Amino acid sequence: MRLLAHIAASALRTATATLCTVTALALTACNPVFAQQQDTAPFARLTGPEVVNKALAATRAAKSVRITMGTKSPDGTPVEAYVATDIRGECTVTLSMGAAGTMDLVRTGGTVYTQSDEAMLRAASAGRPHTDTDDAEVKKLTGRWVKADRADRFTAQALGYCDRKGFLDRLAENSDTAHKGRATTVDSLPALSLTGRAGRGTWQAEVAAEGRPHLLKLRFGTGAPLTVEFTEFDKPFTVKRPAA
């Protein structure tokens, strides 16, 4: 009798353990909430929009950041910008626009300075009647720092990149469409990939999965493709006032 009781008890424990295993598997397969709780991926307990909002807050709050931007102008010209900016408003930009030339911009103490190559200076005056005086002025200003004319379209464009708000606001406007993707890396940093819609196009973002959840990379496929990379958060930099 004791042997039979022992066998019965053992069988009951085995059946119970099997039932618990099957039940757990069923819950994981059929219940997304349960599955998400078991997920060990970054931000497992947050929705896509919640992850994006955390990334936006962290990136806005950074004391300084470097930004690398790539896109195309309406005529297909490649546009690249390399930016360093901080929360005080100090900023440096190198703007390259293919055949249209290159401009360096510095904003310090509220004053903006620019330095352009010959191609950029000529592009800035395109559409106006050409004179010999223009040639002399271009020769004089090429490679020279001057106080910026903010009405100049290239200066205004370069200056716009000093404000990370523009890039972040564009993502914020579409954050409610965010869906979490796979774990990945950006320059060896662990990250979570997210995707969403922007008008008739799409966007993709990578958010740091360790430390502060900074936005590391952002891509828009709407209109002219735009790629923005954010690096060197909170690393101080010094802007020197050019001799203009």
Side-chain angles (χ1 to χ4, degrees), residues 86-117:
D86 65 17
I87 58 175
R88 301 172 300 168
E90 302 288 280
C91 182
T92 65
V93 181
T94 295
L95 175 64
S96 176
M97 301 187 68
T102 300
M103 169 188 286
D104 292 310
L105 179 146
V106 167
R107 182 173 69 188
T108 181
T111 304
V112 179
Y113 305 86
T114 58
Q115 173 184 262
S116 302
D117 63 9

Side-chain angles (χ1 to χ4, degrees), residues 141-174:
L141 295 178
T142 296
R144 176 182 174 184
W145 284 103
V146 296
K147 285 191 177 181
D149 176 7
R150 298 197 185 205
D152 172 66
R153 60 191 176 99
F154 296 125
T155 298
Q157 184 173 348
L159 192 57
Y161 299 139
C162 286
D163 187 359
R164 72 189 92 162
K165 182 177 182 295
F167 298 118
L168 301 181
D169 283 354
R170 186 172 176 184
L171 177 58
E173 292 169 359
N174 299 282

Side-chain angles (χ1 to χ4, degrees), residues 177-189:
T177 68
H179 293 279
K180 292 192 294 182
R182 61 185 179 85
T184 185
T185 58
V186 177
D187 294 332
S188 300
L189 298 175

Side-chain angles (χ1 to χ4, degrees), residues 47 89 111 194:
T47 66
T111 304
L194 299 103

Side-chain angles (χ1 to χ4, degrees), residues 1 5 50 55 63 68 74 79 98 116 139 147 150 156-157 167 169 180 182 192 195 207 210 230:
M1 293 293 292
E50 288 172 339
K63 294 180 180 178
T68 302
V79 179
S116 302
K139 184 176 180 179
K147 285 191 177 181
R150 298 197 185 205
Q157 184 173 348
F167 298 118
D169 283 354
K180 292 192 294 182
R182 61 185 179 85
L192 176 67
T195 57
V207 175
E210 290 184 359
F230 302 88

Side-chain angles (χ1 to χ4, degrees), residues 55-92:
L56 289 170
T59 307
R60 288 187 181 111
K63 294 180 180 178
S64 62
V65 64
R66 268 68 169 180
I67 302 170
T68 302
M69 186 280 304
T71 187
K72 289 185 177 181
S73 66
D75 63 0
T77 299
V79 179
E80 296 179 341
Y82 304 91
V83 184
T85 183
D86 65 17
I87 58 175
R88 301 172 300 168
E90 302 288 280
C91 182
T92 65

Side-chain angles (χ1 to χ4, degrees), residues 48 57 71 93 125 134 211 227 238:
T71 187
V93 181
S125 61
D134 292 333
T227 300
T238 302

